[in-house]
């Protein structure tokens, strides 16, 4: 999900409820919150209502994944964009088709690709690449640093504390019917997927402030209501 125009968060496989997520966002000084649940929008209606009750501006989206692998994240600019994202999800869900590494063209939604070896090089106007906090050092030595206008900060929030991370690993091990010691790191979230304050995010991006500015611009353009 995205908070305060800065970061992108997903909370599936985590232990936080929507209410806990919003409470923590408000306590840490965030103003705009985007929920990007994995292959689902079932929590969006409650999320939008609850966010407004806490004077937070909600943004709706979807984290499109094949298993534990994120293909891309979609953010609805408006209700029409929310329809586009849900229609794309429904087509794949009903047909049992995996998602490709490239999103279809959408007119009213933003697309965020994770920064991997499979990241598309040619991006549409509404498409961006998300850089995780631990990748900021690598970015300094990458050709992508010459394309800062197409980069945003991708900092998922899945846990509120170490205890939540431990519970998450147990649930993932059970889901895969394996021992914790044999759980593939690619089948679990990173331990550092915690919520940052706006000040911490700004400090993280001191070498590349454009990432925060791009995120702010995208989120300010997203408005969802029913």
């Amino acid at each position: 999900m995205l908070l305060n125009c800065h970061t992108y968060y997903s909370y599936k496989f985590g232990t936080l409820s929507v209410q806990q997520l919003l409470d923590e966002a408000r306590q840490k000084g965030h103003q705009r919150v985007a929920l990007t649940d994995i292959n689902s929008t079932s929590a969006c209606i409650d999320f939008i209502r609850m966010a407004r009750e806490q004077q937070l501006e909600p943004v709706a989206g979807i984290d499109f994944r094949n298993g534990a692998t994120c293909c891309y994240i979609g953010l609805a600019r408006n209700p029409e964009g929310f329809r586009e994202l849900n229609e794309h999800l429904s087509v794949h869900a009903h047909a049992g088709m995996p998602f490709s590494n490239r999103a279809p063209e959408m007119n009213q939604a933003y697309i965020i690709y994770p920064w991997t070896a499979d990241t598309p090089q040619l991006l549409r106007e509404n498409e961006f690449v998300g850089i995780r906090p631990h990748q900021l050092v690598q970015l300094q030595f990458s050709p992508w640093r010459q394309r800062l206008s197409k980069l945003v900060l991708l900092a998922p929030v899945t846990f509120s504390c170490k205890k939540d991370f431990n519970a998450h690993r147990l649930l993932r091990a059970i889901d895969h019917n394996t021992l914790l010691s044999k759980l593939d790191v690619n089948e679990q979230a990173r331990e550092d997927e915690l919520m940052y304050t706006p000040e911490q995010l700004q400090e993280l991006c001191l070498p590349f402030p454009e990432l925060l500015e791009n995120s702010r611009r995208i989120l300010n353009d997203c408005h969802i209501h029913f």
Side-chain angles (χ1 to χ4, degrees):
M1 115 173 25
L2 301 153
L3 290 176
N4 198 35
C5 314
H6 292 310
T7 54
Y8 297 83
Y9 302 118
S10 65
Y11 89 116
K12 184 143 187 195
F13 301 137
T15 57
L16 291 172
S17 68
V18 171
Q19 186 63 64
Q20 289 172 316
L21 207 55
L22 291 170
D23 287 343
E24 186 171 0
R26 182 173 49 79
Q27 291 166 6
K28 292 199 171 179
H30 295 287
Q31 299 174 348
R32 188 173 290 261
V33 185
L35 180 67
T36 60
D37 206 354
I38 296 173
N39 295 347
S40 174
T41 57
S42 60
C44 277
I45 302 300
D46 284 341
F47 161 73
I48 292 168
R49 173 181 56 79
M50 294 162 68
R52 292 218 163 95
E53 287 174 354
Q54 297 203 39
Q55 286 76 54
L56 294 170
E57 186 64 29
V59 175
I62 302 175
D63 187 338
F64 294 94
R65 295 195 181 199
N66 294 325
T69 302
C70 176
C71 299
Y72 42 84
I73 294 168
L75 295 174
R77 294 180 59 198
N78 48 44
E80 173 61 19
F82 192 60
R83 182 200 64 77
E84 288 181 328
L85 294 174
N86 276 279
E87 186 174 83
H88 177 53
L89 176 64
S90 295
V91 167
H92 283 74
H94 285 298
M97 294 188 302
F99 298 103
S100 69
N101 290 329
R102 189 69 195 265
E105 187 171 355
M106 296 189 186
N107 296 319
Q108 299 299 325
Y110 290 106
I111 299 297
I112 313 297
Y113 294 100
W115 189 32
T116 68
D118 297 323
T119 301
Q121 296 293 312
L122 297 177
L123 299 173
R124 303 181 181 103
E125 184 179 354
N126 65 323
E127 295 182 331
F128 297 83
V129 175
I131 307 298
R132 285 176 171 253
H134 71 276
Q135 295 175 319
L136 287 169
V137 174
Q138 298 168 270
L139 180 60
Q140 299 190 42
F141 308 100
S142 167
W144 279 98
R145 67 172 299 169
Q146 306 301 324
R147 303 178 63 186
L148 293 177
S149 64
K150 300 301 288 183
L151 303 182
V152 295
L153 183 65
L154 180 61
V157 165
T158 310
F159 319 112
S160 64
C161 60
K162 172 73 171 179
K163 182 179 178 180
D164 285 350
F165 174 68
N166 292 336
H168 158 77
R169 293 189 69 240
L170 284 171
L171 291 171
R172 297 302 288 148
I174 292 171
D175 188 48
H176 285 272
N177 193 29
T178 188
L179 298 172
L180 270 176
S181 59
K182 294 180 181 281
L183 182 63
D184 191 328
V185 293
N186 293 320
E187 292 295 331
Q188 55 186 294
R190 288 178 57 90
E191 187 175 358
D192 61 359
E193 293 187 6
L194 303 170
M195 190 179 296
Y196 295 93
T197 64
E199 294 75 21
Q200 289 171 327
L201 293 173
Q202 189 168 352
E203 185 175 353
L204 273 174
C205 286
L206 280 177
F208 303 105
E210 294 87 350
L211 274 64
L212 295 184
E213 291 302 321
N214 295 339
S215 300
R216 181 178 293 113
R217 177 170 53 82
I218 288 173
L219 286 179
N220 284 341
D221 190 44
C222 293
H223 304 276
I224 192 70
H225 60 83
F226 296 102

